[in-house]
Amino acid sequence: MSGSSSYRRAKRRAVIIGGSMSGLFSAAFLRQIGWDVDVYERSGVELVGRGAGITGHPELLEALEASGAGTTNLGVEVPKRIAIDREGRITDERPLRQILTSWDRLQRLLRDTIDEAHYHLGWNFERVDQDERGVHVQFTGGRVEHADILIGGDGIRSSVRAQMAPDVQPIYAGYYIWRGAPNEADLEPETLNSIYPLFTFYLPTHQQVLTYPISGFDNDLRPGKRRFNFIWYRVADAAKLREMNVDENGVQHEYTVPPPLIRKDLIADMYKDAREILPPALLDAVTKIKQPFVTPIYDFTAPAIVFGRVAMVGDAAANARPHMGFGMAKAGTDAQALAKHLRDNEDIDAALEAYNSERQPIGNTIVLHGRKLGTHLGVNLKTDDDRRMHDLLQSDGAMLDWIAVPHFLKAYR
């Protein structure tokens, strides 16, 4: 009996939609429990993160180690975080050792855990059908794949979730980010000597600027070869965002404009504001960004993350605002939990139900915590709790205590 059981388990197969962090984490953990796994990514070219920075939460580091990706040369360690004023003077600080990494570094580590033959670029998911034996996954062009389960790891705009839960839609938060990652070598000496080595906050009214060092191109961690992650939160209502989503060629985009197509007048206005608002070191950093880009902030919660034999993972399951920097950690811990339940339960359907019971509430808690931190910006303060949190976060010290700190989930257990 045990022989036939192990034989059945060895033949179990998952199809994963999405070749970014959620998909790669899912593939790594499922391979460890003996599943056959194939990852299908819509993009026809290798994914790159435009230098986006990632906070090295303990949960992320643990998931990387457990998945087999490891944490070798993961990123840049900072010893503390500071807040500065308009003149660049330190207003408050906290000792907090954190490893700051980059999207590209994580992608590389996780890509190395999967055989090239099982990672497929240029495949567009169309639909999934289910029966008692599993799933039938259809791609553009007529290709159909059969598996025991389908995993939707395809992010906030998940095409898998669009089929399974069309009513679950991302909600615009009322603000967006100007961002980029200038090269360390391009920054002025004063910037390098003051804010570059640290996690730095600048907090004008209804705005946030966060900066920290990350690895350079090809994950280069040598001094002088690294980059500087720059994040500037600005408030904009839905009408303003729609206007910003008209690109250089006059084309209206639904969610955001690809960086090369961002209108030059928007970038010029951003630089004008920067000269009026930012301290000298931050002004230096933003003017050294070769291609600034805009990320509108959306989030959503989900009443369920499993639909029969279809399981959602990471941002496809529930997407939080980026104030905790926890998206990659959530992807890793979702995938790890899914594999754990499939390993420990012979009945796939029962395993998926157990995964939903464990991770759906956690995902929604993370989203609600992100909304709590977003009250700092003063947008859509609907309840007394919102207003109290907004008032608390007007202190620089409070922001240092709340934003992107480790172990924040412990308060909800």
Side-chain angles (χ1 to χ4, degrees):
M1 183 69 177
S2 62
S4 64
S5 170
S6 61
Y7 174 78
R8 285 200 311 276
R9 294 188 72 124
K11 291 298 183 185
R12 286 180 170 175
R13 179 171 189 244
V15 165
I16 299 172
I17 305 301
S20 185
M21 303 304 169
S22 299
L24 290 171
F25 265 126
S26 298
F29 282 117
L30 286 177
R31 283 183 61 250
Q32 287 184 343
I33 64 168
W35 281 55
D36 291 332
V37 182
D38 281 275
V39 176
Y40 293 88
E41 165 57 40
R42 178 174 55 192
S43 172
V45 296
E46 285 290 348
L47 302 178
V48 292
R50 303 184 201 129
I54 307 294
T55 306
H57 284 278
E59 294 93 335
L60 174 61
L61 305 185
E62 291 163 12
L64 287 167
E65 290 290 1
S67 70
T71 55
T72 302
N73 297 326
L74 184 62
V76 181
E77 183 178 316
V78 298
K80 66 178 179 178
R81 46 179 51 193
I82 62 171
I84 60 174
D85 64 14
R86 176 70 175 82
E87 282 68 47
R89 297 173 299 213
I90 295 176
T91 60
D92 216 333
E93 62 182 83
R94 299 285 185 274
L96 183 57
R97 174 184 169 272
Q98 286 182 293
I99 295 174
L100 289 316
T101 185
S102 68
W103 192 97
D104 299 307
R105 180 61 183 150
L106 292 183
Q107 175 79 357
R108 190 66 260 158
L109 287 170
L110 285 162
R111 277 287 271 116
D112 287 344
T113 68
I114 186 169
D115 189 313
E116 288 291 334
H118 295 281
Y119 187 89
H120 312 279
L121 291 168
W123 289 97
N124 190 51
F125 168 83
E126 279 198 345
R127 63 172 291 104
V128 57
D129 297 299
Q130 307 186 46
D131 58 27
E132 68 280 359
R133 291 174 297 176
V135 294
H136 311 276
V137 187
Q138 186 165 318
F139 297 89
T140 303
R143 179 171 178 163
V144 178
E145 292 290 331
H146 305 278
D148 295 282
I149 65 172
L150 174 69
I151 296 174
D154 49 343
I156 186 171
R157 305 287 169 199
S158 169
S159 52
V160 178
R161 191 187 68 249
Q163 179 188 338
M164 308 312 299
D167 292 340
V168 177
Q169 294 289 335
I171 302 163
Y172 177 53
Y175 50 90
Y176 66 96
I177 305 172
W178 276 109
R179 64 193 307 181
N183 294 324
E184 176 186 2
D186 294 337
L187 300 174
E188 295 297 327
E190 178 56 31
T191 306
L192 295 172
N193 293 331
S194 59
I195 65 172
Y196 179 80
L198 306 173
F199 198 144
T200 301
F201 291 62
Y202 173 56
L203 302 163
T205 303
H206 295 160
Q207 299 176 59
Q208 298 172 24
V209 183
L210 310 177
T211 63
Y212 51 81
I214 60 173
S215 60
F217 294 104
D218 294 326
N219 307 307
D220 200 329
L221 289 169
R222 291 174 295 169
K225 300 291 186 180
R226 299 167 298 187
R227 288 173 293 181
F228 195 40
N229 196 47
F230 180 95
I231 303 166
W232 185 4
Y233 288 88
R234 306 295 307 273
V235 171
D237 63 19
K240 170 65 174 172
L241 178 66
R242 183 167 177 80
E243 187 271 327
M244 292 176 66
N245 280 344
V246 176
D247 71 17
E248 185 76 1
N249 301 316
V251 176
Q252 177 74 60
H253 294 257
E254 186 173 4
Y255 300 116
T256 191
V257 176
L261 297 178
I262 294 174
R263 297 201 317 272
K264 293 179 179 58
D265 65 289
L266 291 179
I267 295 175
D269 286 346
M270 184 270 288
Y271 285 140
K272 178 177 179 291
D273 288 349
R275 287 189 291 272
E276 295 173 357
I277 295 168
L278 300 185
L282 293 175
L283 179 60
D284 173 44
V286 76
T287 56
K288 301 295 173 55
I289 298 172
K290 290 185 169 61
Q291 175 64 71
F293 62 101
V294 173
T295 302
I297 304 304
Y298 296 84
D299 68 8
F300 70 89
T301 58
I305 61 172
V306 167
F307 309 90
R309 289 291 185 90
V310 179
M312 311 304 298
V313 171
D315 287 347
N319 182 267
R321 303 178 192 184
H323 304 294
M324 296 87 67
F326 201 72
M328 302 308 161
K330 180 182 184 296
T333 47
D334 279 357
Q336 191 170 14
L338 176 60
K340 174 193 70 176
H341 289 297
L342 290 167
R343 178 197 67 201
D344 294 346
N345 199 323
E346 182 72 20
D347 184 323
I348 290 175
D349 298 293
L352 294 179
E353 287 177 16
Y355 165 70
N356 186 89
S357 296
E358 177 185 345
R359 296 303 299 182
Q360 182 269 346
I362 292 173
N364 286 0
T365 294
I366 295 167
V367 173
L368 296 177
H369 188 73
R371 290 177 184 172
K372 181 185 290 189
L373 301 189
T375 61
H376 172 266
L377 292 154
V379 179
N380 297 328
L381 304 179
K382 295 177 180 175
T383 68
D384 288 342
D385 284 345
D386 288 345
R387 288 181 279 275
R388 278 193 292 269
M389 194 70 197
H390 167 265
D391 293 344
L392 169 69
L393 294 178
Q394 297 316 295
S395 148
D396 286 3
M399 289 291 282
L400 295 179
D401 289 335
W402 282 83
I403 296 293
V405 293
H407 307 300
F408 71 90
L409 276 173
K410 286 185 176 179
Y412 294 93
R413 288 178 187 148

